[in-house]
């Protein structure tokens, strides 16, 4: 089971490397890793388990964050509707790729954090507002989906991890809260 001890922090080289594509059919190892990464997210979003296991809440986790240089990421974005049990987006993505995106950009009004960054870095992380994503799921099925708003931000944060990019790389150093015209601020 993955815990915070398994999550490497900034300074570790794997976080700054471009991860390798996985091959199909998926090895048992790659399938097991995907399952464990999703289990981590589920545990981290369960108040009792998160407390027991001392987990930071997470809506995404990429393989490089557990020191595995492979293009695998788990995403679990809970529904914004507190009465709904259905997540807004949940899947383990193998070899994910953004095929196209909107001209419009977006950022989280509260900025971003990262399980591999043990400090607050303030500032807007400007990303694509809408994306068309292609990936393979654990069964090797090719998926092509469109995402917008928070799920789109989370997936772009995770895909950055597969390319050795951390969220604060996107923050404008001179003015962390500078925003161009038309950037959608997601609250
Ligand atoms: O480090 C990671 O990749 C997981 C991040 C993903 C993320 C953070 C901010 C914006 C988009 C994606 C963690 O989920 S950070 C902790 C967190 C938990 C719940 C909501 C927002 C951030
Ligand atoms: Ni992160």
């Amino acid at each position: 089971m993955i815990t915070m001890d398994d999550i490497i922090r900034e300074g570790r080289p794997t976080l700054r490397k471009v991860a390798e594509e996985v091959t199909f059919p998926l090895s048992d190892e790659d399938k097991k890793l995907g399952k464990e990464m999703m289990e981590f997210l589920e545990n981290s979003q369960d108040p009792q388990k998160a407390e027991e296991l001392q987990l930071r809440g997470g809506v995404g986790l990429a393989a490089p964050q557990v020191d595995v240089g492979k293009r695998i990421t788990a995403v679990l974005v809970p529904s914004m509707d507190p009465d709904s049990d259905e997540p807004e987006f949940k899947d383990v993505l193998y070899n994910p790729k953004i095929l196209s995106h909107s001209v419009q950009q977006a950022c989280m009004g509260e900025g971003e954090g990262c399980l591999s960054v043990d400090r607050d870095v303030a500032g807007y992380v400007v990303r694509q507002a809408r994306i068309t994503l292609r990936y393979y799921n654990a069964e090797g099925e090719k998926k092509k989906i469109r995402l917008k708003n928070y799920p789109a931000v989370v997936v772009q944060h995770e895909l950055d991890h597969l390319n050795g990019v951390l969220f604060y790389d996107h923050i404008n150093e001179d003015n962390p809260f500078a925003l161009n015209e038309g950037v959608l601020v997601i609250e």
Side-chain angles (χ1 to χ4, degrees), residues 8-12 15-16 111-127 157 160-161 164-176:
I8 61 173
R9 313 299 155 93
E10 48 184 336
R12 294 284 297 276
L15 283 175
R16 287 304 196 179
E112 294 190 12
C114 182
L115 295 170
S116 296
V117 177
D118 291 329
R119 58 195 172 98
D120 289 336
V121 184
Y124 288 138
V125 179
V126 178
R127 299 186 184 278
H157 177 114
D160 269 357
H161 277 303
V165 174
L166 295 175
F167 73 94
Y168 51 72
D169 298 343
H170 299 284
I171 295 175
N172 180 320
E173 275 177 19
D174 302 328
N175 179 351

Side-chain angles (χ1 to χ4, degrees), residues 56-60 65 112-116 150 153-154 157-158 161:
R56 266 186 71 189
V59 293
Q65 293 182 276
E112 294 190 12
C114 182
L115 295 170
S116 296
Y150 190 37
V153 167
V154 175
H157 177 114
E158 300 311 322
H161 277 303

